[in-house]
Amino acid sequence: MRFVFAFVLLATVHYTQASLFGGTKPATKDQALDDVIEEGWEYVTSGSTIKLAHVKSDTRLVLPQVSYGTGSQQQAVTAHTDASSTKNFWLVDSDSPRGTAIACGEQVRLVNSDSSHNLHSHSNHKSPISGAQEVSGFDGRDSGDLWTVECLKDKKAWKRLEPVYFKHVETGWYLQSLPSKKYRQPIVGHQEVSAAKKADSNAQWMALEGYYFSARTSQAKKD
């Protein structure tokens, strides 16, 4: 199996405005998303380092390196409009070999590449603004770091540019961000990220910018 590695940049989640390079081809205004990404690069793969966009608010999942003042007092996780920040990159860590497409229903860890903290949640702490289940950056490693990728469409694997849900394995709650719930100092304008009991439009995320591995012989291409 031959793996290829490339950086892909998307300017925004508004697809007709996207500017793509590395495993992609130029997009036209009326072009379908499946036509934008070249064959072999359609899927999020194990070992890739990506940025996750919150679909509803056009923000990126970020670990701003500010600790919660309440709850677990671990690192806060937020969503923010700054797509250029290096704090937005997350390594997709799974038990599958590097370059294998992440299957729908597969468990993953999302590890912040800037700090090595795991995206984490726990039922015994509430988020500071909405009072939902807290989501944090955890500098250890346990079962609270595991998330199940749930695809919205009838797919076999996690496809780039298509929304997915992340269901927390330990509690069964879904990663979400509420656009109306924003912090003040010291992270002005950052949206709260938390976990919700039900999956809805606030819980949809999409893989955009990132360093992607492509497995040219991957069975996922047949999906």
Side-chain angles (χ1 to χ4, degrees):
M1 183 179 293
R2 180 169 66 92
F3 296 104
V4 183
F5 187 60
F7 179 75
V8 181
L9 174 63
L10 281 160
T12 170
V13 295
H14 301 296
Y15 315 117
T16 57
Q17 302 297 318
S19 174
L20 308 176
F21 65 89
T24 62
K25 49 194 174 185
T28 62
K29 183 176 180 180
D30 298 321
Q31 201 169 12
L33 291 182
D34 287 344
D35 294 334
V36 173
I37 302 176
E38 292 180 0
E39 185 178 5
W41 298 94
E42 307 98 320
Y43 297 93
V44 178
T45 50
S46 180
S48 293
T49 301
I50 66 174
K51 293 187 178 184
L52 286 168
H54 183 242
V55 177
K56 188 173 183 178
S57 62
D58 193 3
T59 54
R60 301 296 188 277
L61 186 71
V62 61
L63 195 146
Q65 296 184 357
V66 173
S67 297
Y68 288 123
T70 59
S72 69
Q73 298 187 343
Q74 295 174 4
Q75 291 282 299
V77 176
T78 65
H80 194 250
T81 54
D82 183 7
S84 64
S85 174
T86 59
K87 296 180 176 66
N88 296 353
F89 280 111
W90 299 86
L91 169 69
V92 182
D93 182 16
S94 78
D95 291 334
S96 299
R98 188 176 69 178
T100 304
I102 299 297
C104 299
E106 186 171 350
Q107 294 180 10
V108 300
R109 283 182 168 88
L110 296 170
V111 185
N112 186 265
S113 62
D114 191 65
S115 67
S116 298
H117 285 61
N118 288 285
L119 186 70
H120 186 90
S121 192
H122 26 234
S123 60
N124 55 330
H125 295 296
K126 293 184 178 181
S127 58
I129 302 178
S130 66
Q133 183 171 293
E134 183 189 272
V135 171
S136 64
F138 179 48
D139 60 359
R141 185 179 175 93
D142 63 23
S143 59
D145 310 328
L146 290 171
W147 302 83
T148 301
V149 178
E150 291 192 356
C151 304
L152 274 70
K153 297 182 179 180
D154 186 18
K155 299 287 184 180
K156 296 180 180 178
W158 179 7
K159 202 168 187 179
R160 290 167 49 197
L161 305 181
E162 291 190 359
V164 297
Y165 297 123
F166 294 102
K167 186 176 183 179
H168 190 236
V169 172
E170 198 170 74
T171 65
W173 287 39
Y174 290 87
L175 185 70
Q176 69 165 5
S177 184
L178 303 173
S180 63
K181 306 298 182 182
K182 294 184 179 181
Y183 290 98
R184 298 181 180 177
Q185 296 291 349
I187 45 176
V188 178
H190 284 243
Q191 291 174 197
E192 181 187 78
V193 169
S194 59
K197 190 172 183 179
K198 295 182 179 180
D200 58 19
S201 61
N202 291 311
Q204 293 181 10
W205 302 86
M206 184 182 295
L208 292 185
E209 305 98 329
Y211 297 88
Y212 288 88
F213 285 97
S214 174
R216 297 295 186 182
T217 59
S218 172
Q219 292 299 311
K221 293 198 304 180
K222 298 179 181 180
D223 182 20

